[in-house]
Amino acid sequence: MNKQQEILKAALKLFVAYGFHGTATGKIAQEAGVATGTLFHYYKTKDDLIVALYVDIKTRLTACWQIGTAGNESIKDQFRQFYIAGMDWSLENNLEFKFTKQFLNSPYLLLLAPEEIQKQSRLILNMIKDGILTKTFKPLPEDLINTLLTSHLYGVHDYISNSKLSDSERKLLIDDSFEMIWKMISL
Amino acid sequence: MNKQQEILKAALKLFVAYGFHGTATGKIAQEAGVATGTLFHYYKTKDDLIVALYVDIKTRLTACWQIGTAGNESIKDQFRQFYIAGMDWSLENNLEFKFTKQFLNSPYLLLLAPEEIQKQSRLILNMIKDGILTKTFKPLPEDLINTLLTSHLYGVHDYISNSKLSDSERKLLIDDSFEMIWKMISL
DNA sequence: ATATTTGTAGAGTGACTAGTCAATTTTATG
DNA sequence: CATAAAATTGACTAGTCACTCTACAAATAT
């Protein structure tokens, strides 16, 4: 694993544990096994590192989604795949998920270029547009559906990661929770 | 307004704008129009101030809820009142809402005593228990229903505060969104 | 009127932090 | 192999931060 990746990995771990300002760049370098100079060789400032880490995480999630979408299923199946893949990824990558929540609810969000934010939700917004055009979804604003979907996923994730369910219980809950949100947004 | 309240007010404003570590205690004191010594007279540490601010906000929200609950309505009406009161309060107290989100998604959450966390959701958990016992709600875990409700509210809040709706549109959306979540959790 | 507690002030302190820089090692290239 | 480019190092700096301490004022109790 190269040093740049080590830095991101260390930053992720420490940011989640101690917060952004609570984590010194020196500590990140130490945890990554590099010198502070190396860190600043790859990232001009600490803020750059924070944003880069966010973009990296989002890219990895998006990649996992793009693999999953074969394309020939019904809109409902597409959405189910999407939902379940997102949930599974978030549960398996808990640190990444926590970091994202922390980032999105912090003033650091402002560091992110608006076009970057848009890019992240393009995939899902297109699916939603499709759903509305084909009268699969209620005629609600796209952004609203997106928000409802996302926050539902966050909520269920929160519940699952705070309760200890067996694998089968968990799977069942994820499926059921998808049906819930589906009923909510579909006609 | 006394100095202690001024300190909380200033802290709220700056924490939301610059984050917890991004806000120096000296700046808070300055914004509040007091000396740093005064700040530390009321709050032993910065962490104490952060937690006190969170508790203060939650107390104010809970107070607003307790006024609203007359008691004789149907469970659905009770919940609607609850949901709408929470939404209205959050929209009117945007700084407080942002602070809460930032706090709950940060490592500072760990500073909060577990009994304090429980206390905050006692009111709503009792209503949910009631709903399950009277077969008004689906037989889901209480915590799950609580989480679904909360995250739905967060999502709709997010959408509303990022879109510019007229008062009537907003009111309509809040009502409609309640019906959505109600359908999701009720039998 | 006196004593005691409480509130307020703000300069001062030691620790820590983001970021720099010049020197050194590693890698790529002709 | 020689040379240039890129990667890596870590001591260093200028600034910032949470918090202390002493002095004094105001309120309260006796």
Side-chain angles (χ1 to χ4, degrees):
Chain A
M1 197 185 242
N2 72 34
K3 309 220 172 197
Q4 196 171 4
Q5 282 176 313
E6 290 288 355
I7 291 169
L8 286 180
K9 200 175 119 190
L12 174 63
K13 175 180 166 184
L14 295 178
F15 282 151
V16 169
Y18 307 111
F20 298 120
H21 284 84
T23 303
T25 48
K27 288 277 169 64
I28 296 172
Q30 196 180 1
E31 171 84 23
V34 304
T36 48
T38 307
L39 189 154
F40 285 98
H41 173 71
Y42 288 108
Y43 305 99
K44 233 170 53 171
T45 66
K46 188 180 178 182
D47 283 0
D48 277 0
L49 167 62
I50 293 174
V51 172
L53 179 54
Y54 175 78
V55 171
D56 174 66
I57 289 174
K58 273 289 166 185
T59 305
R60 279 155 51 202
L61 173 58
T62 306
C64 133
W65 267 333
Q66 262 153 352
I67 294 168
T69 50
N72 277 3
E73 309 90 345
S74 68
I75 290 191
K76 181 171 181 180
D77 282 342
Q78 273 183 48
F79 256 85
R80 185 189 287 110
Q81 267 195 12
F82 205 78
Y83 179 84
I84 291 177
M87 182 75 77
D88 285 347
W89 190 90
S90 306
L91 286 164
E92 279 158 26
N93 301 273
N94 213 0
L95 280 185
E96 282 84 349
F97 189 71
K98 278 186 183 166
F99 174 87
T100 303
K101 280 200 297 182
Q102 199 177 319
F103 180 85
L104 291 178
N105 290 299
S106 79
Y108 284 94
L109 176 56
L110 300 171
L111 296 178
L112 204 64
E115 78 245 24
E116 186 69 36
I117 302 177
Q118 269 193 312
K119 212 177 73 183
Q120 306 302 346
S121 46
R122 234 193 49 230
L123 205 69
I124 187 159
L125 275 178
N126 281 337
M127 291 178 69
I128 292 173
K129 252 178 220 161
D130 230 40
I132 295 176
L133 277 173
T134 58
K135 313 263 184 204
T136 317
F137 289 162
K138 294 178 184 165
L140 297 167
E142 294 159 25
D143 282 341
L144 178 59
I145 293 182
N146 185 18
T147 303
L148 291 177
L149 202 66
T150 307
S151 57
H152 183 74
L153 195 147
Y154 275 40
V156 176
H157 180 284
D158 204 47
Y159 176 76
I160 290 179
S161 56
N162 286 324
S163 69
K164 8 191 176 346
L165 303 172
S166 69
D167 279 4
S168 57
E169 285 171 327
R170 171 187 288 204
K171 210 163 192 168
L172 206 67
L173 175 55
I174 295 176
D175 285 342
D176 287 352
S177 71
F178 172 75
E179 291 300 328
M180 286 183 193
I181 185 71
W182 181 257
K183 256 181 211 149
M184 194 150 109
I185 58 178
S186 68
L187 270 174
Chain B
M1 199 186 240
N2 71 34
K3 309 222 168 195
Q4 195 170 3
Q5 282 176 313
E6 290 289 355
I7 291 169
L8 286 180
K9 199 175 120 190
L12 174 62
K13 175 180 166 184
L14 296 177
F15 283 150
V16 169
Y18 307 110
F20 298 120
H21 284 83
T23 303
T25 48
K27 289 277 169 62
I28 296 173
Q30 197 181 1
E31 171 85 22
V34 304
T36 48
T38 306
L39 189 156
F40 283 98
H41 172 72
Y42 288 108
Y43 304 100
K44 234 170 51 173
T45 66
K46 188 182 178 180
D47 283 0
D48 277 0
L49 168 62
I50 292 173
V51 172
L53 179 54
Y54 175 78
V55 171
D56 174 66
I57 289 173
K58 272 292 166 184
T59 306
R60 278 155 51 203
L61 173 59
T62 306
C64 132
W65 267 334
Q66 262 153 354
I67 293 167
T69 49
N72 276 7
E73 308 90 346
S74 69
I75 290 190
K76 181 171 182 181
D77 283 341
Q78 273 181 48
F79 256 85
R80 185 189 287 111
Q81 267 195 13
F82 206 78
Y83 178 85
I84 292 179
M87 182 73 78
D88 285 346
W89 191 89
S90 306
L91 286 165
E92 280 159 27
N93 301 271
N94 214 357
L95 280 185
E96 282 83 349
F97 189 71
K98 278 186 182 165
F99 174 87
T100 303
K101 280 200 297 184
Q102 198 176 320
F103 179 85
L104 292 178
N105 290 299
S106 79
Y108 283 94
L109 176 58
L110 299 172
L111 295 178
L112 205 63
E115 78 245 24
E116 188 67 37
I117 303 177
Q118 268 193 313
K119 212 177 74 184
Q120 307 302 347
S121 47
R122 233 193 50 230
L123 204 69
I124 187 159
L125 275 178
N126 280 336
M127 290 178 71
I128 293 173
K129 251 178 221 162
D130 229 42
I132 296 176
L133 277 174
T134 57
K135 313 264 184 205
T136 317
F137 288 161
K138 293 179 185 163
L140 297 167
E142 295 158 23
D143 282 341
L144 177 58
I145 293 182
N146 185 19
T147 302
L148 291 176
L149 202 66
T150 307
S151 57
H152 183 75
L153 194 148
Y154 276 40
V156 176
H157 180 284
D158 207 45
Y159 175 76
I160 290 178
S161 55
N162 286 325
S163 70
K164 3 186 179 354
L165 304 172
S166 69
D167 279 4
S168 58
E169 283 171 329
R170 170 187 288 204
K171 208 161 194 170
L172 206 67
L173 174 54
I174 295 177
D175 285 341
D176 287 352
S177 72
F178 172 75
E179 291 300 328
M180 286 184 192
I181 184 69
W182 180 257
K183 255 182 211 149
M184 193 151 110
I185 58 178
S186 66
L187 268 174

